[in-house]
Amino acid sequence: MRGTRLAASPGGVMRKIILPAGIAARMFLLLIAVSILSFILITESPIDPLTSYVGAESTLSEAAKDEIAAHWGLNDPAPERYLKWAGNLLRGDFGVSITYKRPVIDIIRERFSYSVVLMMIAWALSGVLGFAMGICAGLRRGGVFDKAVKTFCLVLQSAPTFWLGLLALSFFSVTLGWFPIGMAAPIGKPAVDVTFADRAYHLILPVLTLTVASIGKITLYTRQKLIEMMDGNFILFARARGETTGQLTRRHLIRNIALPAVTVQFASFSELFGGMALAETVFSYPGIGTATTAAALNGDVPLLLGIALFSALFVFAGNLIANILYGVLDPGLKAGGDYV
Amino acid sequence: MYDEDLAIAKNGRISAMSTRTGLLVLILVASAYLLFIFFRGVFMDPELYASRFADKFLAPSLAHPFGTDFTGRDMLFRSIKGLSASLVIGLIASVISSVIGLVFGIASAVVGGKFDKFILWCIDCCMGLPHLVLLILISFMLGRGAFGVTIGVALTHWPELTRVVRAETLQLRAAPYVLASRRMGMSTFRIARTHIVPHVLPVYLVGLVLLFPHAIMHEASITFLGFGLPPESPAIGVILAESMKYIATGKWWLALFPGLMLLATVLLFDLIGENLKRLLNPTAGNE
């Protein structure tokens, strides 16, 4: 993590406070840059927002179209439009979605409430299971279980998330008939009648898919760390003191690996978001991922910009937490060591 | 993660020599399979994956090992054709991406200072958005289609290789012969060309091969979502997106086999890359 380099200022107690503040400032600048990048990419598109708005077969006169374009400020120079957009953002105004004819912020809020459940359950599950699997595999290095876990994870890392979703859907929902085909609630049931059990039942397969898709990285990471650590002198010493493998694992290994593993898990928000978008498409789950594709396919510029910014914020939050965990809790940094 | 295998090889019956030969054979077999897919797909007679409405929705059999789809197209030939399209896009995108990585990585380390900071910042910027979202945005900007997805994949895969090349170059930069050349007044560009590039080349080659599986997978993902190759083309992403419509009615083979072929391709590229890394690293190979 290069962000921790900012912590080079001297001072004991102060360092703890300066460190996150410095990283936060640096990352905030990055967020602004990412928003500019998204803005340029989206507004330079040949897909005309006006055509998406009025429809291709619109009978609207050219004059009326010009009027809308002027009203939206489509003829203004790009920097001016960006500043206007950013200014509106700061006041909480993300514009109105063309696809859903509703304020972008409402759609993001509603869709994200679905996606966040999916992502966080899958995130926690893959983290806990992956960590446990990595520890078990690493302890029996070279054994059958270890080889199986390693192969399994390497294959999973190469398998496309949407294909895993399709297989789960085809096997568990169609062949076995255990789970519903998709969506977040039974089709045709009014939103007020949807129970918690309905939601949970519809969540199982998407969560399973996303968990399986993201478990490989954390398992292999934990396993590798554990194997590296097993070669350390302090393990040799602990063994010489007569500690059993169980004691060794509990007292030394888990404690040392847990923090970097959690950091890795937080730093993987970017992949999590991508996996979520693919899994949602397979299961027609009404979250932010399906909204992203709908927005981009319909040329819905305000919504796409809003979601892009929001996804950047999501990744940013994960990286920020990872950096802070790394910087504040790493004893090496507290002792004044400069980790680069 | 291959270290322990080497350790086993060292102590066990397999000698270092046969390990190297084994690696080479593995690489050759994997490459042969991929080349076969590539050429078979590129020079395929379109008749082989044409619609035959009489044969629609046939389950896998000897005549159609992968079954047929809703217009009676043979899924095996469609998958091969689709994979070859993915390979072409993957090749173009990986080459562009890796050249960007090579140039940025070397320039970043050799020039140093503000420029180095700027490149690192660009990397962070590129990684600030979820990869998939960035791909969607680039494809959106280029008006979708094959061109958009190729450029999108090419422009989003350079950061990792740039970091690797930069780290490698930073080590070289401090080498005595590079320092001596600088003292003798050699220009920065000439140092990069004559002293840095030849040394970084092995790392670059491995990086290029390892970029491939990512490029192919991202192309398939983005096509699956509807931003990549057009729906009428025989691409793996299109095939799997179509299969979604029929999976609820029990047509499992439409998704299973094309996906397996994609997975095999991705895994084989990974295998070639990882083994190439071991072969090119003299210390690892001779252990």
Side-chain angles (χ1 to χ4, degrees):
Chain A
M1 293 287 138
R2 282 175 308 97
T4 48
R5 258 190 316 188
L6 286 168
S9 61
V13 189
M14 280 302 283
R15 148 172 267 127
K16 276 192 200 169
I17 305 157
I18 291 169
L19 182 85
I23 296 170
R26 185 170 168 279
M27 292 180 106
F28 188 69
L29 271 178
L30 205 65
L31 197 63
I32 294 178
V34 168
S35 80
I36 295 177
L37 177 73
S38 325
F39 189 83
I40 295 172
L41 282 175
I42 293 173
T43 51
E44 289 302 306
S45 170
I47 299 166
D48 185 12
L50 190 59
T51 318
S52 328
Y53 181 66
V54 297
E57 285 100 36
S58 160
T59 49
L60 220 60
S61 68
E62 282 304 312
K65 278 185 185 169
D66 286 344
E67 207 171 304
I68 300 178
H71 177 71
W72 282 357
L74 287 180
N75 306 324
D76 298 344
E80 199 176 300
R81 282 159 66 194
Y82 173 76
L83 286 177
K84 208 171 152 195
W85 175 69
N88 285 342
L89 280 190
L90 291 178
R91 277 185 272 112
D93 177 12
F94 281 66
V96 176
S97 157
I98 297 171
T99 323
Y100 301 95
K101 314 269 186 270
R102 281 168 51 207
V104 167
I105 190 77
D106 289 354
I107 294 168
I108 292 183
R109 202 179 286 140
E110 181 193 307
R111 292 301 187 112
F112 191 64
S113 71
Y114 281 96
S115 296
V116 78
V117 183
L118 168 62
M119 282 195 286
M120 284 305 118
I121 299 178
W123 183 80
L125 268 180
S126 65
V128 172
L129 290 178
F131 187 74
M133 257 163 61
I135 297 274
C136 293
L139 284 174
R140 293 173 191 78
R141 172 182 171 184
V144 179
F145 181 74
D146 179 39
K147 286 217 172 94
V149 165
K150 209 174 99 179
T151 316
F152 176 70
C153 289
L154 285 175
V155 171
L156 278 187
Q157 274 193 324
S158 301
T161 309
F162 58 96
W163 181 63
L164 293 173
L166 285 173
L167 288 190
L169 191 68
S170 138
F171 185 67
F172 291 110
S173 299
V174 181
T175 311
L176 296 177
W178 288 357
F179 296 105
I181 300 286
M183 315 299 284
I187 298 168
K189 203 169 181 179
V192 279
D193 295 340
V194 175
T195 58
F196 178 74
D198 284 337
R199 288 281 305 271
Y201 185 48
H202 282 77
L203 252 176
I204 294 176
L205 276 190
V207 162
L208 177 79
T209 306
L210 196 52
T211 307
V212 169
S214 38
I215 206 168
K217 188 178 175 186
I218 187 72
T219 310
L220 291 176
Y221 179 83
T222 309
R223 177 183 170 277
Q224 192 62 29
K225 272 269 161 194
L226 186 117
I227 288 173
E228 277 166 23
M229 216 160 269
M230 287 294 261
D231 291 336
N233 283 331
F234 74 106
I235 295 293
L236 195 67
F237 182 56
R239 279 214 193 278
R241 277 199 312 263
E243 284 190 31
T244 63
T245 305
Q247 286 171 326
L248 207 68
T249 312
R250 250 177 294 123
R251 289 182 193 165
H252 306 292
L253 296 173
I254 288 185
R255 286 185 192 190
N256 274 304
I257 304 170
L259 183 62
V262 170
T263 314
V264 163
Q265 197 63 351
F266 271 111
S268 67
F269 271 22
S270 166
E271 287 111 14
L272 187 70
F273 195 93
M276 175 273 292
L278 291 167
E280 283 188 356
T281 306
V282 173
F283 294 100
S284 338
Y285 190 78
I288 204 110
T290 37
T292 314
T293 31
L297 287 175
N298 295 329
D300 188 344
V301 169
L303 183 58
L304 194 56
L305 266 174
I307 292 178
L309 195 69
F310 190 78
S311 71
L313 206 64
F314 182 73
V315 173
F316 164 83
N319 285 339
L320 186 67
I321 297 172
N323 265 333
I324 291 175
L325 277 180
Y326 227 84
V328 178
L329 300 176
D330 193 321
L333 274 171
K334 267 189 225 152
D338 198 316
Y339 273 38
V340 177
Chain B
M1 65 192 96
Y2 287 85
D3 298 349
E4 70 263 36
D5 298 341
L6 284 170
I8 295 165
K10 194 166 58 176
N11 303 326
R13 56 215 145 71
I14 317 160
S15 72
M17 192 55 215
S18 74
T19 314
R20 283 191 88 94
T21 321
L23 290 184
L24 209 58
V25 171
L26 258 180
I27 291 177
L28 287 178
V29 170
S31 313
Y33 169 79
L34 294 172
L35 281 176
F36 171 76
I37 296 273
F38 178 75
F39 284 112
R40 189 75 188 83
V42 170
F43 298 109
M44 186 180 282
D45 179 7
E47 257 315 294
L48 286 173
Y49 55 92
S51 301
R52 277 184 208 85
F53 287 94
D55 299 340
K56 70 176 183 183
F57 288 135
L58 291 181
S61 64
L62 276 182
H64 301 285
F66 285 12
T68 60
D69 71 354
F70 66 105
T71 61
R73 288 176 287 195
D74 183 87
M75 292 308 282
L76 173 61
F77 289 119
R78 261 192 107 200
S79 302
I80 294 179
K81 183 74 189 170
L83 266 181
S84 73
S86 294
L87 288 177
V88 174
I89 291 185
L91 184 72
I92 300 172
S94 308
V95 168
I96 298 177
S97 219
S98 66
V99 169
I100 299 178
L102 183 71
V103 172
F104 277 13
I106 292 182
S108 180
V110 172
V111 177
K114 285 238 164 64
F115 185 72
D116 186 32
K117 284 219 173 70
F118 174 70
I119 294 283
L120 290 174
W121 193 77
C122 284
I123 293 177
D124 286 348
C125 210
C126 205
M127 291 175 139
L129 277 169
H131 199 143
L132 200 75
V133 173
L134 188 57
L135 276 171
I136 291 179
L137 293 188
I138 294 179
S139 150
F140 184 78
M141 178 185 164
L142 295 172
R144 297 179 207 139
F147 178 69
V149 70
T150 312
I151 297 299
V153 174
L155 289 185
T156 53
H157 283 79
W158 56 272
E160 274 163 31
L161 190 61
T162 305
R163 278 186 178 164
V164 174
V165 170
R166 179 178 167 272
E168 195 81 0
T169 313
L170 278 180
Q171 282 182 352
L172 284 172
R173 204 179 59 165
Y177 65 90
V178 174
L179 293 178
S181 313
R182 208 178 270 281
R183 282 275 179 213
M184 285 184 204
M186 223 183 195
S187 73
T188 307
F189 179 73
R190 227 183 122 202
I191 290 179
R193 194 169 52 91
T194 55
H195 290 323
I196 311 275
V197 172
H199 284 273
V200 176
L201 223 47
V203 177
Y204 166 77
L205 276 180
V206 171
L208 172 63
V209 177
L210 287 177
L211 259 180
F212 241 94
H214 286 271
I216 291 172
M217 201 140 84
H218 280 123
E219 180 272 315
S221 304
I222 211 82
T223 303
F224 174 77
L225 289 177
F227 299 100
L229 299 174
E232 63 279 2
S233 62
I236 290 285
V238 172
I239 292 175
L240 291 173
E242 270 174 11
S243 81
M244 258 202 316
K245 278 182 249 164
Y246 303 101
I247 221 164
T249 48
K251 311 284 186 287
W252 52 272
W253 62 87
L254 292 178
L256 179 65
F257 295 118
L260 268 182
M261 275 197 100
L262 175 65
L263 177 62
T265 308
V266 170
L267 277 175
L268 283 177
F269 269 117
D270 251 341
L271 185 95
I272 296 177
E274 292 292 345
N275 285 320
L276 213 55
K277 206 193 271 178
R278 285 168 74 187
L279 270 184
L280 288 176
N281 183 353
T283 50
N286 290 332
E287 252 176 63

